[in-house]
Amino acid sequence: MESFSPLTAALGGILIGLASAVLWLGNGRIAGISGIFGQLLPPAQTVVWRLVFLVALVAATALTALAFPQIGVGGVEPAQLAAPPAAWSVPTPIWLIAAGLLTGFGTKIGNGCTSGHGVCGLARLSFRSLVAVAVFFSVAILTVTLTGIV
């Protein structure tokens, strides 16, 4: 995190909030990525807006990375995948698959993800989202403490 900049963090937060507000006001939907993605397979009746939102999310990230490489993670150097702790001797692909599955399972039992609860739920003053965000942060702090990965 040696390249942290409050300006880029604030800009990112504003853009996330703006995207969430546009989706809520324009479509009446909460911008919870796990819910949006989770309803693609099997296709729901509302698959078009979900695809448009996800494609725009990825495209905007890619365009920003190309246009402004200096604001990415680590400055001008390309971002690296999070490798497992060396002492654990777990291959990186297995580490990433396990992390993805645990994240998906967590969003399913938590009835939402960090974007849905943390951005949209807290903005709506949802008590359930407040509890979920407290759990997210607690587990994140514990994970960083145990693994040493920031």
Side-chain angles (χ1 to χ4, degrees), residues 22-122:
V22 166
L23 186 62
W24 176 259
L25 295 172
N27 202 7
R29 304 290 183 163
I30 293 175
I33 304 305
S34 64
I36 292 170
F37 186 75
Q39 294 296 314
L40 288 177
L41 295 173
Q45 293 175 339
T46 57
V47 74
V48 173
W49 77 263
R50 294 173 194 280
L51 283 173
V52 168
F53 186 86
L54 292 171
V55 167
L57 182 74
V58 173
T61 304
L63 288 174
T64 302
L66 290 172
F68 306 103
Q70 69 277 10
I71 66 171
V73 177
V76 294
E77 297 176 21
Q80 301 288 322
L81 293 175
W88 290 20
S89 68
V90 176
T92 301
I94 301 299
W95 173 260
L96 294 175
I97 290 169
L101 289 173
L102 287 172
T103 301
F105 181 68
T107 60
K108 187 66 173 172
I109 63 172
N111 202 20
C113 59
T114 52
S115 58
H117 285 300
V119 176
C120 301
L122 290 180

